[in-house]
Amino acid sequence: MPRRDERESHRSALILSSFFGLVVTSFVRIAGVLLVFSYLIVPAVCGINLARRISHRLLIGWIVALLGGVAGLFFSFWWDLPSGAAIVCTFGALLIVVSIGRMVSVALQPASLAAPFPRGNAAEAASSGEAKAKGGVEF
C-alpha cells in the first residue's frame, strides 16, 4: 500500500494533468490546433536546443514564445495576414533558425563539448550494466 505522501503526490499529479488537459482542449477549440501546439512545442524545443539547465531552458522558452507571438502579430498587421497563421509560420521560422544554429555550433565544437548532456555517473553506470544489476533502468 502506498504511503500517504505518495498518494498525495499522485493526487496532485492527477489534478494538474486534468487541468492541463482542460486548458489545452478549450484553447484548441478557441484558437486552433496548430497555434496551440506551436506555442506548446516550439519554445520547448528551442529551449532544449539552446540550453542544458532546466532554468535556462524555461527562460529561453518564455523568450521564444514572447518573440514568436509578438513577431507573428507584427507580420500579421504589416502584411495583412491572418494572425494565427502568421504566428505559426513565425514559430516555424524560429524553430528552423534555432535548429540550424544548433547544428552549426555542434559541428564546430569539439566532441566533448557538443554533447547535449554531460555524461555523469548514472549514464556510465547504465552503460556498464551496474544499474541493471542494482535494479535500475538501463539506458
Side-chain angles (χ1 to χ4, degrees), residues 63-121:
I63 291 169
V64 167
L66 180 68
L67 287 176
V70 170
L73 288 174
F74 173 77
F75 294 139
S76 169
F77 175 75
W78 189 260
W79 289 320
D80 195 26
L81 298 170
S83 59
I87 292 171
V88 169
C89 289
T90 304
F91 274 129
L94 279 172
L95 184 60
I96 290 169
V97 167
V98 167
S99 297
I100 289 173
R102 174 68 179 159
M103 287 190 302
V104 168
S105 71
V106 167
L108 296 177
Q109 287 181 349
S112 62
L113 297 175
F117 301 105
R119 293 198 52 94
N121 294 337

Side-chain angles (χ1 to χ4, degrees), residues 16-63:
L16 177 67
S17 297
S18 300
F19 280 127
F20 184 74
L22 289 172
V23 168
V24 168
T25 305
S26 63
F27 277 112
V28 164
R29 286 183 36 201
I30 294 168
V33 172
L34 285 177
L35 185 62
V36 170
F37 285 104
S38 293
Y39 267 109
L40 285 175
I41 301 301
V42 173
V45 171
C46 290
I48 289 170
N49 280 334
L50 295 175
R52 291 183 181 184
R53 293 181 55 197
I54 291 187
S55 60
H56 294 160
R57 289 177 177 177
L58 185 61
L59 182 63
I60 289 171
W62 287 341
I63 291 169

